[in-house]
Amino acid sequence: MTTDSMPRVFIGALDAGTTSTRFIIFDGAGRPYATHQIEFEQHFPHAGWHEQHAYEIIRCANDCIEGAVKKFVADGYNVTDIKAVGITNQRESTVVWDSETGKPLYNAIAWPDTRTARLVHHFKNKNGAEDLVRICGLPLSTYPSALKLVWLLQNVHGVQEARKRGSLMFGTVDTWLVYNLTGGGKPGTDTKFVTDTTNASRTMFLNINSLKYDDFLLDFFGISHGVRLPDVVCSADDKAYGNIASGVLAGVPIASCLGDQSAALVGQRAFSVGMGKNTYGTGLFLLYNTGEEPVFSKNGLLTTVGYHFKGEKPIYALEGSIAVGGAAVKFLRDNLRLISDSDDVGQLAAKVPDAGGVIFVTAFSGLFAPYWIDDTQGTIYGITNYTTKEHIARATIEATCYQTRAVLEAMAKDSGYELKTLKVDGGMSNSDVCMQIQSDIIGIDVIRPEYRETTALGAAIAAGFAVGVYSNFEELKQVNTDGETTFKPSITEKKREKLYNLWQRAVSRCGGWLRDEDDDSEVEEEKRVGDGIQKQFA
């Protein structure tokens, strides 16, 4: 079946990212017909803290759905042609709310937040910590949801009270979205309290082998009682997620839900073992399909669920998660004001042939895979009187590219297979300069599709499978293949290794910037900030 002969049906995809939300309406061939996007406010109340208003996440979702459907109808199409909606979302970000009121009990704590650094050190010294990776696939760090929930239980009075009443609900952003889109617990609605396996595998509560909550993990983190966890369901399922309760798409089924990086893996059609992709969003996330059995890394990577369609076996992936990608470009724009638009970073970097010896370790949230260094912060090395803003811009791009190489090397060691090409998508991949630098640093071809919103496309593909638009993966081979661009390495191996060795030297020196965990003054300051934020949830 060719893309042009596919059924003339439409699928909506709600992409709830870290800094913006969008709703895109695709046809059965994966072509976008209408889109609406909103960037929403981020909150940084204390150094290392990153929060979002939980209600803002829902408002943006509803507004994006309304906006895209309005454009779709204005172009002469019918709402009834939209057969299903798929959801993809920022992962690990943690929301808690009260089942009696449906109201959030605190801001959503976003995945890059590092307030739990002290808890990481505490739990690493707890009996059983050495068993965590083989059970849940994730190392102890500030990244997963588990310690975010522990922090909320220890520090937020409203959360503690809800736990005592038995009304405390926990979820990642997918759960919060589905809960509200299907009725928000209002009487007369069939509200769903669920999460899919890809998101659940990012909490540290899920056994990566059984794909069920694990009693040892719940006991280890102290949440085996008093916390309501969502039911774990397949990523693509025509019944599990219910129907949208109100608005322009009332009655339309939600048929899929995937964490954003798993959705991009599906959107890139990486359905075979050994296929991988790198998404350049707020962070960078490189996923590598390992098939029907989980592979446990010895080189700093995460074991995660790639996707799990109803009636099929789950597909696992190795993941290299890099905390800061597009966020560093945003930092140049908003904090340093070196550029007026994020898209300008490539043009600025192209004005110099190299970074002039500058290395920018963009460890705003510590360093994730494959290093896992929590006690570091952003550090710039090599500044001289020769350094210009152009060098800083290029060093910022190179930081993401060096970390991608480190992850690729770890994946090769764990899998015994070196990628010959790297499929890319996401915001930074729009820049030819960025992608050329990436190819130069990793020494292999970088392939970029013409349509780069593969995260949303993956959610739509999964929903299409659930409702019968597609019946097998073979039908998807030609989806989004027109207009691909290939970037080939253009520097010598000697120069590549010299640059990478300089990066590795910088990484080896950047740890230890955070204060000691027993610094009482910092603890008291964090408590003061936290108490202030709590007042709005009283």
Side-chain angles (χ1 to χ4, degrees), residues 393-440:
R394 193 173 185 98
T396 303
I397 293 172
E398 289 182 353
T400 67
C401 300
Y402 289 133
Q403 290 177 85
T404 296
R405 172 167 170 173
V407 169
L408 284 172
E409 290 184 346
M411 285 185 170
K413 292 175 183 176
D414 284 327
S415 67
Y417 175 82
E418 292 186 5
L419 285 181
K420 303 302 181 186
T421 61
L422 179 65
K423 292 186 174 183
V424 299
D425 54 66
M428 287 181 70
S429 73
N430 292 328
S431 168
D432 289 357
V433 175
C434 293
M435 293 302 96
Q436 185 58 58
I437 291 173
Q438 181 66 89
S439 180
D440 288 341

Side-chain angles (χ1 to χ4, degrees), residues 290-327:
T290 60
E292 297 175 0
E293 298 293 333
V295 173
F296 295 94
S297 175
K298 297 179 180 179
N299 296 283
L301 304 180
L302 310 179
T303 303
T304 193
V305 178
Y307 54 88
H308 186 194
F309 292 177
K310 183 180 179 180
E312 303 287 339
K313 291 184 178 180
I315 298 299
Y316 292 92
L318 280 173
E319 175 175 340
S321 304
I322 298 167
V324 176

Side-chain angles (χ1 to χ4, degrees), residues 99-102 179 182-191 245:
S99 63
E100 296 175 356
T101 65
Y179 182 85
T182 58
K186 295 182 179 67
T189 63
D190 185 20
T191 301

